[in-house]
Amino acid sequence: EVQLLDSGGGLVQPGGSLRLSCAATGFTFSSYTMNWVRQAPGKGLEWVSGISGSGGSTYYADSVKGRFTISRDNSKNTLYLQMNGLRVEDTAVYYCAKVFSPLHTFDAFDIWGQGTMVSVSS
Amino acid sequence: QSALTQPASVSGSPGQSITISCTGTSNDVGRYNYVSWSQQHPGKAPKLMIYEVSNRPSGVSNRFSGSKSGNTASLTISGLQAEDEADYYCSSYTSSSAPVVFGGGTKLTVL
């Protein structure tokens, strides 16, 4: 079964750091661009970051550029998001998401993790 | 980077059809056929319903259909059922600095 399992969320003070992980099973992980998408409480979805299958290309939303770093370990079928300089407005459920096709970098997100909550508060 | 524009809410009675619009620009919806629609029930992760404007993933009911005209994409749900009540989000590939943009979401209420 194709599955993504997010973890690593928690409560952190403004300016702090967290690292999220997403373990993938059931598909050839290295063939797919992987992404992080977040959802603030009561709000809509916001794309945060993406990384190509090889890890050679990374992409970021302007709101997190310079503070967040996406990476992947294809030997462990795991995606990461290192979040530094966290702000109150980063509070959200963070989902990892797999793209639908190995042929396109960003066509659609067909498999989602269950989400991990990140709360930034003093 | 501006989000795609969706109506905040739509409603319909069981058995009826509804359409949700998603308006973008010539840099996203109008330029690329990488428009998708996702369904999200409260407290759950999103579920892909339509990809590449009008294609349904395996397992998605044929009551769901998608289309695009110019800068506006649309999701139509026919034969509304109670289980369709959820939030719906469109997304598109974009030529902006960030490659993906979402709509603000539409809450569908089945009366």
Side-chain angles (χ1 to χ4, degrees), chain B residues 61-80:
Chain B
S61 170
N62 59 9
R63 297 186 299 104
F64 291 83
S65 62
S67 63
K68 189 183 84 167
S69 177
N71 295 338
T72 299
S74 298
L75 172 71
T76 297
I77 309 173
S78 59
L80 269 179

Side-chain angles (χ1 to χ4, degrees), chain A residues 14-89:
Chain A
S17 299
L18 274 179
R19 188 176 85 153
L20 306 184
S21 299
C22 171
T25 57
F27 64 99
T28 306
F29 183 69
S30 61
S31 294
Y32 294 85
T33 295
M34 295 295 296
N35 299 265
W36 290 99
V37 177
R38 68 185 180 184
Q39 186 170 34
K43 302 297 185 181
L45 301 173
E46 179 189 13
W47 178 84
V48 172
S49 182
I51 185 169
S52 62
S54 66
S57 297
T58 57
Y59 311 85
Y60 298 95
D62 289 344
S63 57
V64 306
K65 200 172 295 183
R67 300 187 298 122
F68 290 10
T69 302
I70 191 172
S71 62
R72 64 193 297 160
D73 185 337
N74 287 343
S75 69
K76 296 182 178 180
N77 289 350
T78 302
L79 174 71
Y80 303 100
L81 185 68
Q82 178 66 45
M83 303 185 295
N84 299 330
L86 282 162
R87 305 168 179 169
V88 171
E89 56 264 35

Side-chain angles (χ1 to χ4, degrees), chain B residues 6-93:
Chain B
Q6 298 181 232
S9 63
V10 298
S11 63
S13 300
Q16 288 186 332
S17 295
I18 63 94
T19 297
I20 300 172
S21 62
C22 169
T23 301
T25 70
S26 57
N27 291 323
D28 39 63
V29 175
R31 178 176 292 188
Y32 304 103
N33 286 327
Y34 294 125
V35 178
S36 60
W37 291 89
S38 297
Q39 174 193 66
Q40 186 181 35
H41 287 107
K44 301 295 186 181
K47 174 187 176 183
L48 182 65
M49 306 303 284
I50 295 288
Y51 69 96
E52 292 175 14
V53 176
S54 59
N55 296 298
R56 281 187 308 276
S58 175
V60 172
S61 170
N62 59 9
R63 297 186 299 104
F64 291 83
S65 62
S67 63
K68 189 183 84 167
S69 177
N71 295 338
T72 299
S74 298
L75 172 71
T76 297
I77 309 173
S78 59
L80 269 179
Q81 299 179 0
E83 68 215 45
D84 299 332
E85 185 163 293
D87 294 326
Y88 290 85
Y89 294 91
C90 62
S91 64
S92 175
Y93 181 72

